[in-house]
């Protein structure tokens, strides 16, 4: 099989990620009786080069379920009005900049998005950190670098086929977790943002994004690993995958295994596999 440059790069990135994540043995989860005749292994789809042997051996997951779409009522009328009035990414940015909010006073730069707006794939994080605040771009710090490597392992790149944003456009002081009130103020803007860029798939990175958009009380470890349906006003239901935040993976490297399972789920959906 001939691989082109992009496929080779994707394979190498996947391999590097596997090694970085400690998958340096091509062992499967369950022992295999190789003395018994087996049906030929199913071909791995060409667009899934990232499935290195160790990763392919991950146990099958329960069938994904669709969560009921939740209606969202803006917490702040002013925020709701400003968000609803935005009819382009420029006016959305101007609306966010115009909204008086304590976070605006302590942050340096507004952080709206990075990547290809019409790529069809939007990843939503929590809030800018110090590096993002300085550069005015999401996910440019250490967790952003991990995110880039994770995405590269399934052939996704922010410069080519992904778009990144956050629930909060301003850095919370000291990188603290956003409060529910902050999430509620900015969620109408995120929903408007999604309606403007019209993703076919959404990935929620971490508990804050999952809580703000799915309006569910369960923690990220229960919400991750399956597709939900997010009702985006003006756009309709969008298949939405919740997964672990890269900053969490930096603190809990053992959880990278679950993140890898989620990435494979995403890759399959991007390749057109039906979302149950
Ligand atoms: N963490 C996030 O959730 N978003 C960023 O932009 C950076 C770190």
């Amino acid at each position: 099989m001939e691989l082109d440059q992009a496929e080779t790069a994707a394979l190498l990135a996947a391999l590097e990620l596997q090694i970085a994540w400690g998958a340096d043995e091509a062992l499967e989860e369950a022992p295999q009786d190789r003395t018994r005749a087996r049906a030929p292994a199913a071909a791995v789809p060409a667009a899934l080069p990232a499935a290195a042997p160790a990763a392919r051996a991950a146990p099958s997951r329960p069938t994904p379920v669709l969560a009921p779409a939740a209606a969202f009522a803006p917490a702040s009328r002013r925020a709701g009005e400003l968000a609803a009035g935005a009819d382009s990414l420029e006016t959305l940015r101007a609306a966010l900049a115009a909204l008086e909010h304590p976070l605006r006073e302590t942050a340096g730069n507004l952080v709206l998005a990075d990547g290809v707006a019409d790529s069809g794939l939007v990843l939503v994080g929590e809030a800018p950190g110090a590096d993002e605040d300085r550069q005015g771009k999401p996910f440019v710090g250490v967790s952003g670098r991990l995110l880039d490597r994770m995405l590269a392992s399934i052939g996704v790149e922010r410069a080519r086929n992904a778009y990144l944003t956050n629930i909060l456009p301003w850095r919370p002081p000291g990188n603290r977790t956003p409060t529910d009130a902050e999430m509620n103020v900015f969620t109408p803007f995120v929903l408007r943002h999604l309606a403007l860029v019209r993703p076919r798939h959404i990935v929620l990175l971490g508990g804050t994004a999952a809580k703000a958009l799915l309006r569910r009380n369960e923690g990220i470890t229960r919400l991750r690993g399956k597709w939900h349906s997010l009702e985006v006003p003006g756009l309709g239901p969008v298949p939405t995958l919740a997964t672990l935040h890269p900053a969490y993976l930096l603190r809990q490297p053992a959880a990278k295994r679950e993140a890898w399972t989620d990435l494979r789920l995403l890759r399959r959906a991007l390749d057109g596999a039906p979302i149950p």
Side-chain angles (χ1 to χ4, degrees):
M1 182 177 68
E2 284 275 308
L3 294 179
D4 67 22
Q5 217 178 359
E7 285 168 331
T8 310
L11 270 174
L12 283 174
L15 202 58
E16 274 174 22
L17 191 77
Q18 296 296 309
I19 293 166
W21 290 10
D24 52 3
E25 293 278 358
L27 294 177
E28 296 191 21
E29 288 297 311
Q32 299 286 324
D33 183 354
R34 300 202 184 274
T35 59
R36 294 178 54 184
R38 289 199 308 169
V44 179
L48 238 187
R56 235 183 280 152
S60 62
R61 302 195 56 74
T63 312
V65 292
L66 279 180
F72 181 79
S76 138
R77 222 177 69 194
R78 171 95 177 117
E81 283 166 6
L82 276 171
D87 57 3
S88 67
L89 294 180
E90 291 70 35
T91 51
L92 183 77
R93 175 183 280 279
L96 277 166
L99 180 71
E100 284 176 28
H101 192 278
L103 289 178
R104 191 183 70 169
E105 310 313 317
T106 51
N109 282 301
L110 176 72
V111 177
L112 185 59
D114 193 22
V116 182
D118 61 359
S119 64
L121 172 63
V122 175
L123 294 104
V124 185
E126 178 176 306
D131 295 305
E132 290 77 18
D133 183 55
R134 252 190 308 275
Q135 296 187 38
K137 273 190 193 178
F139 287 104
V140 291
V142 61
S143 60
R145 284 196 290 280
L146 174 60
L147 179 63
D148 283 341
R149 287 169 59 215
M150 290 163 59
L151 294 177
S153 74
I154 55 159
V156 173
E157 237 183 283
R158 71 170 86 187
R160 201 164 52 90
N161 50 10
Y163 187 68
L164 309 177
T165 186
N166 282 310
I167 297 296
L168 300 193
W170 303 110
R171 180 193 183 202
N175 290 353
R176 63 161 170 72
T177 303
T179 64
D180 285 2
E182 288 164 351
M183 287 193 253
N184 285 341
V185 166
F186 289 106
T187 298
F189 291 93
V190 181
L191 288 169
R192 189 70 200 128
H193 198 167
L194 292 171
L196 289 171
V197 300
R198 308 181 68 79
R200 289 182 296 281
H201 300 94
I202 297 172
V203 176
L204 305 177
L205 298 165
T208 295
K211 184 176 182 187
L213 289 172
L214 297 178
R215 322 296 301 165
R216 298 264 297 260
N217 287 326
E218 300 99 307
I220 187 65
T221 49
R222 295 194 79 110
L223 294 172
R224 62 150 287 275
K226 56 195 169 219
W227 288 98
H228 304 264
S229 178
L230 174 62
E231 184 65 34
V232 178
L235 180 60
V238 183
T240 297
L241 181 69
T243 189
L244 303 169
H245 193 287
Y248 175 79
L249 299 177
L250 288 168
R251 294 192 303 273
Q252 302 286 338
K256 286 173 176 171
R257 177 193 174 90
E258 277 81 44
W260 177 238
T261 306
D262 299 346
L263 285 174
R264 291 167 65 220
L265 215 50
L266 173 63
R267 183 65 258 173
R268 280 199 288 272
L270 295 175
D271 288 339
I275 292 169

